[in-house]
Amino acid sequence: MSTDWKTEVDKCSKCGKCHTVCPVFLETGDESMVSRGRISLAEALRDKQIVYTDKLRDYVYSCKKCMRCRTVCPSGVDYEVIISALLSGVAENMGIPLLPRIIFRYILPRRILFDLMLKVSSKIQWLIPMKRRGQMRHLPLLFMGKRWIPTLAKKTALQKFRKTKKLKNPKMRVGLFTGCLINYIYVDIAEAVVDVLNRMNIEVVVPQGQLCCGTPSSTMGDFKSTKKLADVNKEVFESQKLDAIVTACATCTKAIKMDYLRTLGPSWQSMSDKIYDISEFIDKYCGDEYETKPIDEKVTYHDPCHLLWVRGISDEPRNVLKKSSDFVEMDQAGACCGGGGIFTIIHYDLTLKMLERKVASIERSGADTVATNCPGCVMQIADGFAGKNSKIKTTHSIQILQKALVDSGINKEK
Amino acid sequence: MKHFKKTKTESKKHQKVLNELIMVLGGEKVLSAIEDRICYSYDGTKQKALPDIVVRPGCTSDVSNTLKIANKYEIPIYARGAGTGLTGGAVPLMGGIVLDLKSMNRIIEICPEDFVATVEPGVVTKHFQDEIAKFDLFYPPDPSSAAFSTIGGNVAECAGGITGLKYGVTRDYILALEIVLSDGSVINTGRKTLRSVTGYDLTRLFIGSEGTLGVFTRITVKLIPKPKKIETLAAYFSDRDDAIDAADLIIDNNILPRTLEFMDQMTISAVRGYGEAPIGEDVKALLLIDIDGTEESISHELPVVENACKEKKAFKTKVAETPRERESIWAVRRSISPALYNIAPHKINEDICVPRSKIKEILQKVDQINEHQTIYIANFGHIGDGNIHVNIMYNDDPGQAALAESIVNKIMREVVAVGGTISGEHGIGNKKSQFMELEISPKELAIMKRFKGFFDPKGIMNPGKMFI
Amino acid sequence: MKQETHNNKIQAKVFEELCDAIGRENVFDNIEERVCYSFDATKEKSIPDLVIRPHSTEQVSNTVSIANQHNIPICPRGAGTGLSGGSVPIKGGIALDLKNMNRIVELNARDLTVTVEPGVVTKDLQDEAAKHRLFYPPEPGSAGFSTIGGNVAECTGGMTGMKYGVTRDYVLALEIVLPDGSVINTGSKTLRSVAGYDLTRFFVGSEGTLGVLTKITLKLLPLPAKIGTVMSYFKDIDSVLNATDSIIVKNHLHPRSLEFVDKTCIGAVRGSAEETIPEEAGAFLLIDVDGNEKNVANDISRIEALCRENSALKTSIAKTDDERDALWDVRKSVSPSLFKIASMKFNDDFCVPRSKVREVLKKVYELGKTYSIQVAAFGHIGEGHIHLNVIYNDGKEMDLSVHKLVSQILKEVVLIGGTITSEHGVGDAKAEFIGLELAPHEIEIMKDLKKMFDPKGIMNPGKIFI
């Protein structure tokens, strides 16, 4: 993948339009924290004017990889190619800090070890061995610091759905890619997915060998680890006979539907075509069929970056919510909540600013509940409200549908 | 210019300047790491030159202190907004200090009763427009870059933008400025009133001075009531001259559209596919027209405009039905400048302005000048004002850059010969300084240089710009 | 206010030199002629040593160049209708009357531009433009007799500024004779140009202190299809301001003009115009809107309603052009009618933020009372621009207290965030007050720039700066 970034950077006309959408730049106004700046740094690297330094790494890590910039770039720069090259350059040249490296290389690929580590880590507080702007309180996937994150589930989603609930005459048979957050923390989201789909007469398989999608390692430029994870996931899902694969995590969808095309090559295309976000799937295949009794709550929707800006999905989750609740729109629904990966660690202060804005938008909407389609966003936003003792609930939109779904006709379990 | 100019070695002087800046402003506001300097080395021209230091002031006194130090050590200083300029205005050609004013981005006050607002230079134009829209007020200057360029940059270049025909340019909306001069002293020009003629008009002297005379730290602008309604119409022509005739006929009908934008065939081919409704191959010229006003005025003007287009052989006209359609039409227009890179990797962007009656003539001249198969010229722009963006696109092959330059040279001569100007709104920067003498006689140039010498005796303010 | 005579007689040699250079028929040294060019509308007088009436740029250039050689002051003059002493030759020397340079050089309808000589009367240009269905908006009260050159030199605003801005916004290019006699061209005859520093606007409003404008290129607009006019009488200024607020601020109607006059002014014009003014009227608003037929009808009825809502005593809508002229006659006769009250008048034309008009008028009337001097206010209230007239009868003691009052008023104006002059210019009448508004180092910059252009100080000396 590092073949074409060197020419891709030349496409940048330096017009500055990425300023308009970059959630990080909108907070900082730092030219070094926007695509145009990082592209100029990439050029300088290519031309051997600079080398990899701590500072450069910080600027590279300051990217949230939401890919909004790509959606507005009039010169058609594929920024993802460039940022991936930078991340991998950082990893190759500066190495990855020991702890994440161990996790990515040895633990993530091994389900049992991962399970074990999380159990241990829930008991102790760690600081990762890197010094940078802001305080590094936690690695949200793994550790609990000063932030409020939900407790780990006693039984993971994979464990819970070891056995597939067989339907008599299923309309379709789909696989669920759980992703780590749902598997370990938000098992109830997985339950909602399975429950809703089952009630829509769709059989749900949760393939047991599946691993992390690889985003955490890609985020830190460790594409080798990502490739390993992808290889396993490919094998696991290809071995099943599935009509579709659904996920309830925007980031996992982006990873396995989009990023794997690069990681695994064109052979992944046919699988990629079958991968859907859960709302996208329901809207497409069951949109006109299911019946609901809308819950008596005002619900608003937060667009996860990886769903809106990478995949352009915005109507589908709203369609589902409109059928299931008293839906209200919030201002700047597409603004980043600030959550996500390494960024929250290196640039914790910015994370908080973005979160504050998001929380304020939600409050202005007058909603009782904010729904979204990404467990990462759920965790981030819930953290924002927990700190404020707010009554506003944060949930996944599938859980709203789960409550509103009426069992009649098609919805009736056979 | 692929390579950075050689930067000064970390000389003693440089170190002293750095230390002094850090001492006065604090380390947070002074950046000197190579990674930071790279990020402030370019603008929308793709030129690059590495500054030695980047200063990110938080207030007027930070700017003043920086200038005092720069003046003391005679270090070049480059004021920079969003770095989206198209003539190299913000590129630190001679090294020295880049003053990144994005960090001064507060809207200080909006007075809806007085139709006046005061902002810091780093406020993004569109952001400001959105804020005042909450009061149903309107700040018309609207360069294509409005969503990311800053008001400070707009004032420094005297940007026009797409609403100029009806509403005038940036200059017409600036009431007062707070300016830090090269010695660090602060002056206030103009007044926060809708009219003032006390003394010489220093305000206007500084507008469009491209950071060569001083640094704006506060800008007071005039606002007007926001038009109640806007309608957008796109008219498609199979002949370029027809589109120009239609523009003339619209204005002859005593209508000043809010915007009257023209795109030629080459431009259309570059942006084809950007909008939601693709533009057909048979379209050889396009007019994008906004009409604004009240319900009544629009209901009167829109049919007149549409008929004028049809009378001048537009084969299709389309009125935007929804805000989304309108946005989609304009998104295409705003994409042009960068999208031209789809034609060829290099661009020389000229923004000539001629009397409207000379547009056909000048475009014919441009065609004649470019008989080269390898170079493409895309023309688009604010046809109502006669402000045409002439973009000369060329590739990497040897000799092409020189060829493109020679074309520009010839075009500029023709422009001045028909009574036009070499820059309608982008400014001179370093990209056009060589053409200044085509338009400006030695005598007037000498006067301008005296102004420069007066305000900036040591020549530290944006050196290498405007004059050769 | 002041009357001065000078004895720096122009030497016979220089006189001959001037006659040779520009023709004896254009050079006048008889006292009758000199007296006629000794004043402007401030009633200030100072007799020039010579009057020169050039017909061309070349003649201007020759005149200026000879004057420069011999250190003779030059005072350029349009129609001499200024209200700050700008064209009064207070240091003697040459009064340069530009009224003979009054050709419309070219009107380019397609390009929306026109180039004129400075002596063209503003109204003549407007009429010529109207033939092409074009419009030159700046319209000072004196438009019927003042010149474009004078308007540009002072940067006049006028009645239409609310919607259309001021003279500055319409000047595209200038031909200027500098104090050394050299001729420069600034700007470009295009609707936009940003090549180099904006010398054009630097000269706009420079009051003849930097050079002589010999050609002026202006931007024109399409002529509005229709103008509608409403006159509305109120019992006091408060109601006028309330009506103004609801028209402009609350409803965002954007009138072409929004003129108010106060009670003293009404007293002065009562009876002199056809329009019958209600007995109890303590102020009026005269409002023009323009645009197309429907728009105008709509705006006029809304504005009338808003005036009534704000307790207008009477409203009249002009139905014909004659009726419109009659209404405007009332407004236009205000300034001259004030001389009915007393023989002397000092014209302030300050501008404050619109939200401060109430406050500043209150202060001004209080000050008038304190000094027992009558003040009359009228003006372009939509922009916060007030023509404040201090009316008094001549006399040494009176002069002194008028001066005190004026300086007190201007102090208040500046304190409130206003400017001491919005369109009349500084001239010599307000030169002593610029320090209220401009910081010393800002004045120094202006003086230095003046020196840069006019090292010998021959251009309109005694103006702007003391």
Side-chain angles (χ1 to χ4, degrees):
Chain A
M1 74 171 55
S2 58
T3 47
D4 54 355
W5 70 272
K6 290 180 179 173
T7 50
E8 197 66 24
V9 292
D10 283 335
K11 276 200 201 165
C12 174
S13 66
K14 301 285 189 294
C15 72
K17 196 167 187 181
C18 43
H19 284 187
T20 59
V21 292
C22 175
V24 181
F25 182 81
L26 288 174
E27 287 298 338
T28 65
D30 287 10
E31 188 72 31
S32 46
M33 296 198 189
V34 69
S35 320
R36 184 174 69 158
R38 293 190 204 96
I39 290 170
S40 73
L41 289 170
E43 277 173 64
L45 276 170
R46 179 195 62 188
D47 301 341
K48 310 229 178 322
Q49 285 152 341
I50 53 171
V51 293
Y52 286 93
T53 58
D54 282 0
K55 191 159 206 117
L56 182 71
R57 183 189 59 197
D58 286 355
Y59 290 159
V60 171
Y61 283 172
S62 75
C63 173
K64 294 199 84 272
K65 291 167 292 303
C66 64
M67 296 304 146
R68 276 173 174 78
C69 51
R70 196 171 55 181
T71 66
V72 299
C73 178
S75 307
V77 176
D78 188 351
Y79 174 71
E80 191 156 19
V81 170
I82 299 167
I83 188 67
S84 299
L86 284 172
L87 284 164
S88 116
V90 167
E92 278 164 28
N93 290 278
M94 305 189 63
I96 296 168
L98 183 64
L99 187 65
R101 191 165 70 213
I102 293 171
I103 295 167
F104 299 149
R105 298 273 160 85
Y106 302 102
I107 302 184
L108 288 187
R110 293 169 179 81
R111 183 59 73 187
I112 295 171
L113 278 180
F114 196 4
D115 288 358
L116 185 69
M117 188 195 72
L118 281 176
K119 285 216 169 98
V120 174
S121 68
S122 68
K123 308 244 178 332
I124 40 174
Q125 294 192 2
W126 287 65
L127 286 175
I128 37 169
M130 279 195 304
K131 285 189 204 127
R132 255 309 293 154
R133 197 188 283 196
Q135 289 147 294
M136 284 138 282
R137 295 193 178 116
H138 78 299
L139 183 56
L141 267 174
L142 308 174
F143 303 109
M144 289 183 281
K146 287 185 185 168
R147 298 190 63 184
W148 189 94
I149 51 173
T151 47
L152 292 169
K154 288 197 181 106
K155 207 171 172 190
T156 68
L158 284 175
Q159 289 164 349
K160 216 162 213 168
F161 296 104
R162 190 163 282 155
K163 278 190 195 152
T164 302
K165 182 172 176 186
K166 293 279 177 194
L167 302 185
K168 266 187 194 147
N169 224 338
K171 179 177 155 184
M172 291 172 87
R173 187 165 190 269
V174 306
L176 172 63
F177 185 89
T178 63
C180 301
L181 271 180
I182 291 177
N183 185 38
Y184 290 105
I185 296 171
Y186 296 109
V187 177
D188 48 345
I189 296 178
E191 285 169 349
V193 171
V194 175
D195 181 39
V196 166
L197 291 181
N198 282 171
R199 285 157 71 188
M200 289 179 175
N201 194 26
I202 291 164
E203 195 166 285
V204 185
V205 186
V206 185
Q208 287 299 299
Q210 60 178 286
L211 296 172
C212 167
C213 68
T215 298
S217 44
S218 313
T219 299
M220 298 195 68
D222 184 359
F223 290 96
K224 277 186 204 148
S225 299
T226 306
K227 173 80 165 58
K228 275 189 200 165
L229 294 167
D231 283 338
V232 173
N233 285 329
K234 181 175 195 251
E235 204 185 306
V236 168
F237 278 88
E238 279 179 350
S239 69
Q240 301 276 348
K241 277 187 188 145
L242 300 170
D243 300 314
I245 300 167
V246 297
T247 82
C249 170
T251 303
C252 293
T253 318
K254 169 185 182 286
I256 64 175
K257 188 174 175 74
M258 319 292 282
D259 300 353
Y260 278 18
L261 288 172
R262 253 196 308 235
T263 318
L264 298 168
S267 68
W268 183 249
Q269 189 65 56
S270 58
M271 285 302 279
S272 167
D273 292 343
K274 284 200 265 183
I275 298 171
Y276 298 94
D277 163 74
I278 181 66
S279 295
E280 181 190 14
F281 178 84
I282 290 172
D283 199 58
K284 178 166 179 171
Y285 290 104
C286 316
D288 305 325
E289 298 169 8
Y290 65 95
E291 269 177 47
T292 53
K293 179 174 177 292
I295 61 169
D296 187 23
E297 267 180 50
K298 282 202 170 87
V299 176
T300 190
Y301 178 71
H302 158 72
D303 286 294
C305 296
H306 288 159
L307 215 48
L308 178 61
W309 303 104
V310 177
R311 305 228 22 243
I313 301 236
S314 66
D315 290 344
E316 295 87 337
R318 286 176 172 78
N319 292 344
V320 168
L321 289 172
K322 280 173 189 163
K323 274 184 93 161
S324 324
S325 69
D326 177 9
F327 182 77
V328 289
E329 194 64 68
M330 72 168 102
D331 59 278
Q332 319 220 7
C336 181
C337 66
I342 192 78
F343 176 85
T344 54
I345 299 161
I346 305 269
H347 299 283
Y348 183 67
D349 47 344
L350 294 177
T351 297
L352 286 188
K353 277 191 193 162
M354 292 180 203
L355 179 57
E356 269 168 35
R357 275 179 216 280
K358 180 51 73 180
V359 163
S361 289
I362 296 166
E363 284 173 341
R364 274 196 296 275
S365 74
D368 306 301
T369 298
V370 52
T372 184
N373 274 26
C374 179
C377 300
V378 169
M379 185 163 81
Q380 170 81 351
I381 295 170
D383 178 27
F385 285 119
K388 297 185 71 180
N389 286 324
S390 168
K391 282 188 184 147
I392 300 176
K393 287 166 284 182
T394 313
T395 184
H396 194 288
S397 58
I398 194 70
Q399 291 171 292
I400 303 282
L401 176 59
Q402 186 188 19
K403 283 190 214 162
L405 199 58
V406 173
D407 293 325
S408 69
I410 166 103
N411 300 347
K412 201 134 218 155
E413 262 182 81
K414 310 245 159 97
Chain B
M1 253 194 251
K2 278 273 144 114
H3 299 285
F4 296 122
K5 296 234 163 153
K6 268 221 176 86
T7 64
K8 284 183 195 146
T9 46
E10 306 272 311
S11 65
K12 258 189 189 169
K13 180 167 136 187
H14 177 198
Q15 196 55 47
K16 258 191 185 165
V17 171
L18 189 59
N19 291 345
E20 222 165 293
L21 283 169
I22 291 172
M23 206 172 69
V24 177
L25 303 175
E28 287 258 303
K29 293 173 182 166
V30 183
L31 313 176
S32 62
I34 179 80
E35 294 86 350
D36 291 314
R37 288 153 57 205
I38 286 174
C39 293
Y40 293 89
S41 65
Y42 50 78
D43 72 356
T45 56
K46 279 184 135 177
Q47 297 181 97
K48 279 187 226 160
L50 202 57
D52 297 305
I53 300 169
V54 177
V55 174
R56 308 191 67 207
C59 59
T60 304
S61 74
D62 284 350
V63 174
S64 168
N65 286 328
T66 306
L67 280 166
K68 275 179 196 152
I69 294 167
N71 197 46
K72 183 164 122 194
Y73 293 97
E74 303 195 15
I75 301 261
I77 187 140
Y78 302 84
R80 176 189 173 92
T84 61
L86 296 169
T87 53
V91 180
L93 287 180
M94 322 237 169
I97 300 169
V98 163
L99 198 59
D100 172 31
L101 294 155
K102 277 286 285 178
S103 52
M104 287 175 69
N105 60 357
R106 286 175 306 154
I107 293 175
I108 294 171
E109 59 174 352
I110 298 171
C111 309
E113 291 165 1
D114 301 331
F115 289 5
V116 165
T118 300
V119 300
E120 289 185 330
V123 172
V124 171
T125 309
K126 173 76 164 45
H127 172 68
F128 175 64
Q129 287 168 334
D130 291 346
E131 285 304 307
I132 58 168
K134 292 177 186 165
F135 301 95
D136 268 327
L137 290 169
F138 181 37
Y139 171 72
D142 196 19
S144 299
S145 61
F148 42 107
S149 61
T150 62
I151 297 205
N154 294 174
V155 175
E157 304 294 329
C158 188
I162 57 176
T163 57
L165 176 63
K166 181 165 183 178
Y167 292 106
V169 298
T170 300
R171 173 203 303 134
D172 304 324
Y173 292 88
I174 308 303
L175 297 175
L177 295 171
E178 180 185 78
I179 304 165
V180 180
L181 298 180
S182 68
D183 61 358
S185 62
V186 181
I187 61 168
N188 283 282
T189 72
R191 207 71 186 149
K192 291 183 189 175
T193 52
L194 294 179
R195 298 179 176 186
S196 175
V197 295
T198 314
Y200 298 139
D201 193 345
L202 297 181
T203 310
R204 245 55 49 179
L205 181 66
F206 276 85
I207 296 172
S209 66
E210 308 189 13
T212 62
L213 298 179
V215 180
F216 312 134
T217 45
R218 285 209 180 169
I219 298 163
T220 299
V221 304
K222 168 171 113 170
L223 308 173
I224 59 176
K226 191 163 157 256
K228 309 250 177 327
K229 200 176 164 194
I230 303 176
E231 288 282 1
T232 297
L233 178 138
Y236 303 83
F237 297 86
S238 52
D239 188 281
R240 183 175 74 192
D241 282 356
D242 289 343
I244 299 169
D245 288 341
D248 283 341
L249 186 58
I250 291 166
I251 299 171
D252 287 349
N253 277 309
N254 267 24
I255 290 171
L256 280 189
R258 172 191 175 100
T259 55
L260 184 54
E261 292 293 299
F262 160 83
M263 291 159 65
D264 77 351
Q265 193 180 0
M266 185 61 68
T267 311
I268 294 167
S269 73
V271 294
R272 188 165 279 136
Y274 270 90
E276 284 176 9
I279 305 167
E281 296 283 341
D282 46 350
V283 182
K284 302 280 195 279
L286 184 55
L287 284 183
L288 296 183
I289 307 162
D290 267 2
I291 311 276
D292 68 2
T294 59
E295 201 78 47
E296 301 92 53
S297 71
I298 288 178
S299 66
H300 163 74
E301 289 181 1
L302 192 61
V304 177
V305 169
E306 196 165 6
N307 288 336
C309 292
K310 284 184 180 150
E311 193 181 324
K312 294 299 173 186
K313 296 185 250 169
F315 62 83
K316 187 181 141 194
T317 56
K318 172 156 183 44
V319 177
E321 308 277 341
T322 61
R324 196 175 174 147
E325 266 184 34
R326 171 164 197 272
E327 188 37 49
S328 140
I329 288 177
W330 280 105
V332 172
R333 166 63 185 83
R334 281 192 283 266
S335 305
I336 295 175
S337 200
L340 290 174
Y341 288 109
N342 297 340
I343 300 176
H346 302 288
K347 171 167 92 169
I348 302 178
N349 183 337
E350 296 305 338
D351 78 314
I352 61 166
C353 187
V354 296
R356 186 155 41 88
S357 59
K358 307 284 187 194
I359 292 175
K360 272 189 204 169
E361 187 181 335
I362 199 72
L363 289 181
Q364 276 157 17
K365 288 264 162 61
V366 169
D367 290 347
Q368 285 161 14
I369 290 168
N370 183 31
E371 342 112 309
H372 311 279
Q373 298 294 316
T374 51
I375 295 208
Y376 302 94
I377 300 187
N379 303 298
F380 65 93
H382 323 305
I383 195 169
D385 308 72
N387 189 189
I388 305 291
H389 296 285
V390 178
N391 289 266
I392 295 106
M393 309 302 305
Y394 62 97
N395 61 34
D396 281 315
D397 297 340
Q400 291 298 296
L403 190 56
E405 290 290 347
S406 78
I407 289 175
V408 170
N409 209 308
K410 286 180 195 154
I411 291 174
M412 288 307 196
R413 279 167 207 282
E414 294 294 347
V415 165
V416 174
V418 301
T421 179
I422 59 171
S423 180
E425 59 176 341
H426 292 169
I428 301 297
N430 66 322
K431 287 296 236 184
K432 286 186 202 164
S433 51
Q434 56 172 319
F435 302 119
M436 276 284 269
E437 58 187 18
L438 288 178
E439 183 176 338
I440 316 268
S441 76
K443 196 161 216 150
E444 289 121 33
L445 260 180
I447 293 175
M448 292 180 188
K449 284 183 182 166
R450 281 171 73 190
F451 271 109
K452 167 78 176 164
F454 175 77
F455 283 104
D456 180 22
K458 292 185 178 171
I460 59 167
M461 304 296 305
N462 209 357
K465 309 297 166 62
M466 190 149 342
F467 312 108
I468 305 174
Chain C
M1 254 182 187
K2 290 176 250 172
Q3 185 155 357
E4 289 177 34
T5 47
H6 299 276
N7 293 315
N8 51 342
K9 276 270 178 194
I10 288 172
Q11 298 162 349
K13 197 184 82 189
V14 179
F15 180 77
E16 286 309 316
E17 205 179 325
L18 283 164
C19 290
D20 285 352
I22 57 178
R24 193 170 294 270
E25 68 281 11
N26 297 321
V27 184
F28 304 86
D29 66 343
N30 55 320
I31 183 71
E32 297 82 357
E33 205 76 29
R34 284 157 54 208
V35 165
C36 292
Y37 292 90
S38 66
F39 56 83
D40 71 356
T42 55
K43 285 191 153 187
E44 199 180 340
K45 268 185 217 153
S46 176
I47 298 174
D49 300 305
L50 218 54
V51 176
I52 290 182
R53 310 187 63 197
H55 288 85
S56 67
T57 303
E58 198 194 349
Q59 288 177 349
V60 172
S61 161
N62 288 339
T63 307
V64 174
S65 144
I66 293 169
N68 195 41
Q69 263 169 44
H70 301 286
N71 288 326
I72 301 169
I74 287 221
C75 186
R77 178 185 178 90
T81 60
L83 293 165
S84 61
S87 57
V88 181
I90 58 172
K91 307 275 182 200
I94 298 167
L96 191 67
D97 171 36
L98 295 155
K99 281 282 286 177
N100 278 341
M101 291 179 67
N102 60 357
R103 287 174 308 147
I104 293 176
V105 180
E106 60 168 340
L107 191 152
N108 221 322
R110 176 125 299 166
D111 301 332
L112 302 176
T113 60
V114 63
T115 300
V116 299
E117 289 184 332
V120 171
V121 169
T122 308
K123 179 80 165 41
D124 292 347
L125 167 64
Q126 288 171 329
D127 290 347
E128 184 60 30
K131 287 183 196 159
H132 302 265
R133 292 208 300 154
L134 294 172
F135 177 37
Y136 173 68
E139 190 176 351
S142 61
F145 40 99
S146 64
T147 62
I148 295 283
N151 292 178
V152 174
E154 304 296 330
C155 187
T156 192
M159 316 284 180
T160 59
M162 176 71 211
K163 181 165 180 180
Y164 292 105
V166 297
T167 301
R168 175 205 300 134
D169 303 328
Y170 295 87
V171 183
L172 297 176
L174 294 171
E175 180 188 79
I176 305 166
V177 175
L178 295 180
D180 63 358
S182 61
V183 182
I184 60 166
N185 284 281
T186 71
S188 164
K189 293 181 186 180
T190 49
L191 294 183
R192 301 179 175 188
S193 173
V194 295
Y197 298 141
D198 193 347
L199 298 181
T200 309
R201 277 97 202 164
F202 186 69
F203 274 87
V204 174
S206 65
E207 309 191 16
T209 63
L210 299 176
V212 183
L213 313 177
T214 47
K215 280 202 187 92
I216 298 161
T217 301
L218 300 164
K219 172 168 105 168
L220 301 173
L221 298 180
L223 189 68
K226 195 168 164 59
I227 303 177
T229 302
V230 195
M231 171 74 96
S232 178
Y233 296 94
F234 297 87
K235 78 171 193 314
D236 55 22
I237 295 214
D238 259 354
S239 323
V240 163
L241 289 167
N242 291 340
T244 307
D245 273 353
S246 48
I247 293 166
I248 299 178
V249 182
K250 297 204 187 90
N251 287 283
H252 278 190
L253 294 163
H254 205 35
R256 172 188 169 110
S257 329
L258 189 73
E259 298 287 313
F260 105 104
V261 314
D262 75 355
K263 196 170 183 175
T264 312
C265 299
I266 287 184
V269 293
R270 202 188 290 279
S272 61
E274 313 174 7
E275 168 86 359
T276 34
I277 302 172
E279 270 315 305
E280 62 278 35
F284 74 66
L285 267 186
L286 178 59
I287 303 146
D288 265 4
V289 295
D290 65 7
N292 67 44
E293 198 89 34
K294 272 193 218 159
N295 241 345
V296 168
N298 195 16
D299 283 357
I300 284 289
S301 69
R302 282 185 69 192
I303 286 172
E304 194 196 15
L306 291 171
C307 287
R308 286 184 186 284
E309 270 171 38
N310 286 287
S311 53
L313 302 168
K314 174 190 167 190
T315 55
S316 334
I317 295 176
K319 293 184 192 70
T320 61
D321 281 355
D322 283 347
E323 280 181 33
R324 175 168 189 265
D325 288 346
L327 293 177
W328 272 96
D329 262 355
V330 182
R331 163 65 184 83
K332 285 182 178 165
S333 55
V334 166
S335 191
S337 303
L338 290 172
F339 284 113
K340 286 198 227 157
I341 300 174
S343 66
M344 295 299 285
K345 170 171 103 158
F346 187 90
N347 267 296
D348 265 340
D349 76 315
F350 59 76
C351 188
V352 295
R354 187 169 41 229
S355 57
K356 299 285 164 71
V357 170
R358 203 179 296 261
E359 188 180 340
V360 86
L361 283 178
K362 198 170 157 240
K363 281 263 161 59
V364 163
Y365 290 128
E366 275 168 15
L367 282 169
K369 270 192 198 133
T370 314
Y371 286 85
S372 310
I373 297 174
Q374 208 165 4
V375 292
F378 64 94
H380 320 302
I381 199 166
E383 291 156 282
H385 177 184
I386 307 293
H387 290 290
L388 186 86
N389 289 260
V390 179
I391 313 156
Y392 62 104
N393 283 311
D394 223 351
K396 264 242 165 71
E397 234 169 84
M398 202 56 187
D399 279 357
L400 218 62
S401 36
V402 165
H403 181 263
K404 265 194 204 154
L405 171 62
V406 167
S407 84
Q408 204 58 41
I409 290 172
L410 293 180
K411 256 182 217 159
E412 292 292 348
V413 164
V414 172
L415 207 63
I416 251 168
T419 181
I420 62 168
T421 175
S422 13
E423 61 176 346
H424 292 170
V426 175
D428 62 329
K430 287 182 199 152
E432 61 180 304
F433 302 117
I434 60 168
L436 292 175
E437 185 175 330
L438 304 173
H441 65 294
E442 289 154 12
I443 297 175
E444 276 318 303
I445 288 173
M446 291 184 189
K447 280 186 177 170
D448 285 345
L449 292 174
K450 156 90 178 161
K451 240 179 247 159
M452 190 170 105
F453 282 98
D454 180 22
K456 292 185 168 178
I458 62 159
M459 291 305 307
N460 210 1
K463 309 298 165 62
I464 303 183
F465 314 107
I466 305 174

